[in-house]
Amino acid sequence: MKEELLKLLKENAYRKGEFKLSSGKTSEHYVNCKPVTLNGRGLTLASIMLLEHVEKDSVAVGGLTLGADPIVSGVAVVAGLDKRLLDGLIVRKEAKGHGTGAWIEGPELPEGSKITVLEDVITTGGSAIKAVKRLRDAGYKVERVVSIVDRQENEEATTAMKLAGLELYSIFTIGDLSEEKETV
């Protein structure tokens, strides 16, 4: 399962070249997981693997829109198939401009509910930490972030996660994606 997901990521999510990242930095590695997480098989594999790292006492998974949208939904579905009740929460980048002005979409959960944050790609940790802040501001307990890929550009993400009181688990690192295919 892990090898199949890695193959999909290498073929459909990873590019080598010179790229400007959302953080404003440049990198020779570009990872866009959406072609994989918006594919039925890719989302299924990623969701099963992400669920393995969701805390057992979490009642929901959440993440910042747009990268986390498919994986939050996918993990909630895979958990349900396993008879584990796990809600999904999507954190907006800006408050809803009408109605209640909500920052978070999904079922309302009791204050103190434990949430695990999901992320497709971690670079600086900024997107995940933004989601964590909004969830904590809403009264939820968040201690863990789980990502598909950790770019490991530098120690910035690890440091930011520690300062925010978060554990970071990643299924793959950028080194896994950038490995050359073996020739026979």
Side-chain angles (χ1 to χ4, degrees):
M1 189 177 335
K2 188 171 183 176
E3 287 304 315
E4 184 180 355
L5 180 58
L6 180 59
K7 182 177 188 278
L8 288 172
L9 290 167
K10 283 181 174 185
E11 292 173 356
N12 302 298
Y14 175 76
R15 300 287 176 266
K16 190 166 182 164
E18 188 172 323
F19 303 96
K20 185 173 183 177
L21 306 175
S22 61
S23 64
K25 297 178 181 186
T26 58
S27 175
E28 67 175 318
H29 305 286
Y30 179 71
V31 182
N32 176 9
C33 288
K34 286 179 260 335
V36 175
T37 61
L38 291 170
N39 164 277
R41 182 66 180 165
L43 179 58
T44 301
L45 294 169
S47 297
I48 290 168
M49 298 199 69
L50 288 165
L51 181 59
E52 291 175 8
H53 299 288
V54 171
E55 296 150 299
K56 297 297 180 207
D57 56 343
S58 284
V59 297
V61 290
L64 191 67
T65 196
L66 176 71
D69 292 2
I71 57 179
V72 164
S73 298
V75 169
V77 167
V78 167
L81 291 171
D82 198 29
K83 298 193 181 349
R84 178 177 174 191
L85 298 179
L86 203 57
D87 288 321
L89 302 174
I90 301 296
V91 179
R92 294 174 171 272
K93 291 182 181 176
E94 295 178 12
K96 191 173 183 178
H98 58 282
T100 62
W103 280 97
I104 301 168
E105 294 295 339
E108 282 192 38
L109 303 170
E111 188 170 324
S113 293
K114 192 168 198 177
I115 315 294
T116 299
V117 167
L118 305 178
E119 184 70 276
D120 57 353
V121 181
I122 294 280
T123 301
T124 63
S127 293
I129 290 170
K130 184 174 183 179
V132 168
K133 181 181 180 340
R134 291 288 172 209
L135 291 164
R136 285 177 174 169
D137 287 349
Y140 301 130
K141 183 178 179 181
V142 184
E143 298 173 338
R144 182 178 292 180
V145 173
V146 183
S147 73
I148 297 172
V149 179
D150 183 347
R151 292 180 49 83
Q152 295 185 314
E153 288 288 306
N154 52 44
E155 289 296 312
E156 189 173 350
T158 304
T159 301
M161 293 287 170
K162 284 181 183 172
L163 289 173
L166 297 165
E167 299 174 299
L168 173 61
Y169 289 84
S170 298
I171 298 170
F172 299 107
T173 66
I174 195 68
D176 296 324
L177 272 63
S178 63
E179 289 175 347
E180 296 296 321
K181 295 178 184 171
E182 294 181 24
T183 55
V184 179

